[in-house]
């Protein structure tokens, strides 16, 4: 799935501001400050309030900020200052205190970013964390970031199928939850063969297109302890997951399972697959966040454009104090650039 028109090879990434009361602004400035540190940081342009960023930068001693008139001006500024496409806040941002009054600006930054990539002017979208509770108070009508991006994709690419799939990735592990932000009881009720097959098909295609894995190996976790132990601890593994795996294998996807989740994540097991599909959120997010808490990246598969995000939230409790780490954002920027490069070459 590729966007049209294709962005120019020199097109920068576009970074949305996220909730200005969170750690996003300071991690963006910290990430920009590593551009000369040999980390291979790709050029990016941030959409946000330039006065907010400049004040934050002065307070924390994080470097220069400069407003730009267009996305295309950003790369020429990037070596000297963090380039910013201005999206004014309604009220001054207070660290750690999300304000619904700024919700429209936060949402507008995301909309502008997707419009830029749809126009072929940006290579991909990297999003800083939002606070869903704050945005809902501002009238945000989507369950979360990913669903909103799916709706924007449908707006800009109405003829392309869109089914957003959340992947968490770090150098040693990639995981995908088939059900995402649902209570455990609801997740089990929502689980079915069709959902597993649809999710796994998108994952297999994305691993080939975006990660250059020619023959992806998918490990499909069981739902119940020991993958149900032949039905002794639940029959979902027999009646739902095993038939889904059979359907995937029938169309040539190397899917294996259902496999006991408690033995899927040690080093020897990880050598045998490229991604794990889990049946619910914590089944796969706990292992990856334990393995690489600071370096994990949230990747949205199934969209007609590249989208990555740091794998952490707004962290209101430490915002504005210079305690946040930019590792996950740096990894998200690097991964987005790599994915965009592979898509443009295909």
């Amino acid at each position: 799935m590729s966007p049209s028109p294709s962005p120019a090879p020199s097109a920068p990434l576009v970074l949305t501001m996220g909730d200005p009361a969170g750690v996003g602004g300071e991690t963006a400035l910290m990430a920009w400050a590593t551009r000369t540190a040999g980390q291979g940081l790709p050029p990016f342009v941030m959409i946000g309030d330039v006065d907010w960023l400049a004040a934050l930068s002065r307070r924390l001693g994080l470097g220069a900020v400069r407003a730009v008139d267009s996305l295309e001006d950003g790369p020429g500024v990037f070596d000297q200052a963090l380039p910013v496409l201005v999206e004014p806040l309604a009220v001054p941002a207070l660290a750690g205190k999300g304000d619904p009054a700024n919700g429209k600006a936060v949402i507008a930054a995301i909309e502008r970013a997707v419009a830029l990539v749809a126009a072929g002017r940006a290579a991909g979208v990297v999003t800083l964390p939002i606070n869903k509770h704050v945005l809902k108070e501002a009238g945000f009508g989507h369950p979360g970031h990913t669903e909103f991006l799916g709706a924007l994709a449908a707006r800009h690419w109405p003829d392309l199928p869109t089914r957003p799939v959340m992947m968490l990735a770090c150098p040693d592990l990639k995981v995908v939850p088939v059900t995402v932000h649902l209570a455990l009881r609801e997740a089990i009720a929502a689980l079915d063969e069709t959902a597993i097959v649809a999710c796994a098909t998108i994952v297999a295609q994305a691993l080939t297109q975006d990660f250059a894995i020619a023959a992806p190996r998918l490990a499909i976790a069981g739902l119940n302890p020991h993958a149900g132990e032949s039905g002794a601890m639940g029959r979902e593994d027999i009646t739902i997951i095993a038939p889904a795996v059979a359907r995937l294998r029938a169309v040539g996807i190397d899917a294996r399972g259902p496999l006991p989740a408690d033995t899927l994540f040690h080093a020897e097991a990880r050598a045998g697959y490229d991604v794990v599909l889990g049946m619910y959120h914590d089944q796969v997010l706990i292992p990856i966040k334990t393995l690489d808490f600071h370096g994990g990246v949230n990747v949205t598969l199934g969209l007609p454009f590249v989208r990555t995000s740091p794998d952490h939230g707004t962290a209101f409790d430490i915002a504005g104090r210079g305690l946040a780490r930019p590792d996950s954002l740096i990894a998200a920027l690097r991964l987005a650039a790599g994915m965009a490069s592979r898509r443009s070459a295909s």
Side-chain angles (χ1 to χ4, degrees), residues 166-186:
M166 184 176 81
M167 170 186 281
L168 279 295
C170 72
D172 294 322
L173 181 63
K174 297 178 182 67
V175 299
V176 172
V178 175
T179 63
V180 189
H181 296 121
L182 295 174
L184 188 55
R185 188 187 304 274
E186 294 172 357

Side-chain angles (χ1 to χ4, degrees), residues 21-343:
V23 298
E26 59 202 89
T27 60
L29 288 159
M30 290 174 183
W32 172 79
T34 71
R35 70 201 179 284
T36 59
Q39 295 209 40
L41 191 74
F44 64 91
V45 177
M46 189 168 177
I47 301 176
D49 187 297
V50 71
D51 294 330
W52 155 64
L53 284 166
L56 183 63
S57 183
R58 286 193 298 270
R59 187 166 74 250
L60 299 177
L62 292 174
V65 176
R66 187 182 303 171
V68 294
D69 293 327
S70 72
L71 188 73
E72 289 74 16
D73 293 336
V77 171
F78 191 75
D79 283 345
Q80 295 81 41
L82 173 63
V84 181
L85 281 173
V86 177
E87 187 64 52
L89 295 174
V91 297
L94 299 177
K97 298 183 184 298
D99 193 329
N102 285 325
K104 287 185 179 180
V106 172
I107 294 166
I110 302 168
E111 292 175 327
R112 285 181 68 183
V114 175
L116 286 166
V117 78
R121 296 171 62 192
V125 176
V126 181
T127 60
L128 288 170
I130 61 173
N131 184 285
K132 287 176 284 195
H133 177 72
V134 172
L135 286 188
K136 283 179 181 177
E137 289 189 10
F140 187 62
H142 299 272
H145 223 148
T146 300
E147 293 84 0
F148 184 39
L149 290 164
L152 292 175
R155 180 191 304 175
H156 289 283
W157 291 273
D159 298 328
L160 290 179
T162 299
R163 186 185 188 279
V165 169
M166 184 176 81
M167 170 186 281
L168 279 295
C170 72
D172 294 322
L173 181 63
K174 297 178 182 67
V175 299
V176 172
V178 175
T179 63
V180 189
H181 296 121
L182 295 174
L184 188 55
R185 188 187 304 274
E186 294 172 357
I188 294 170
L191 194 65
D192 62 33
E193 181 182 331
T194 299
I196 297 169
V197 170
C199 180
T201 301
I202 290 170
V203 170
Q205 292 170 345
L207 288 177
T208 299
Q209 175 182 242
D210 295 328
F211 293 86
I213 300 173
R217 301 165 298 167
L218 279 59
I220 313 295
L223 173 68
N224 296 297
H226 303 172
E229 232 172 60
S230 301
M233 288 189 283
R235 296 194 56 81
E236 291 89 351
D237 298 279
I238 295 172
T239 62
I240 297 174
I241 302 174
V245 172
R247 282 176 58 184
L248 292 165
R249 295 186 66 84
V251 296
I253 294 175
D254 184 359
R256 309 163 190 184
L259 302 170
D262 63 345
T263 55
L264 264 180
F265 298 101
H266 59 86
E268 291 87 348
R270 296 199 306 270
Y273 57 75
D274 298 300
V275 66
V276 173
L277 268 68
M279 298 301 111
Y280 56 92
H281 183 279
D282 285 8
Q283 188 180 43
V284 289
L285 267 68
I286 289 172
I288 193 167
K289 291 192 177 188
T290 301
L291 188 67
D292 193 353
F293 183 76
H294 294 292
V297 177
N298 186 330
V299 187
T300 306
L301 311 178
L303 295 175
F305 60 92
V306 170
R307 183 263 177 152
T308 67
S309 177
D311 181 25
H312 59 71
T314 52
F316 283 165
D317 58 326
I318 62 169
R321 298 163 58 191
L323 300 177
R325 290 176 51 165
D327 309 49
S328 186
L329 176 56
I330 292 169
L333 289 161
R334 293 171 63 187
L335 180 56
M339 291 171 65
S341 176
R342 283 185 282 273
R343 288 197 185 192

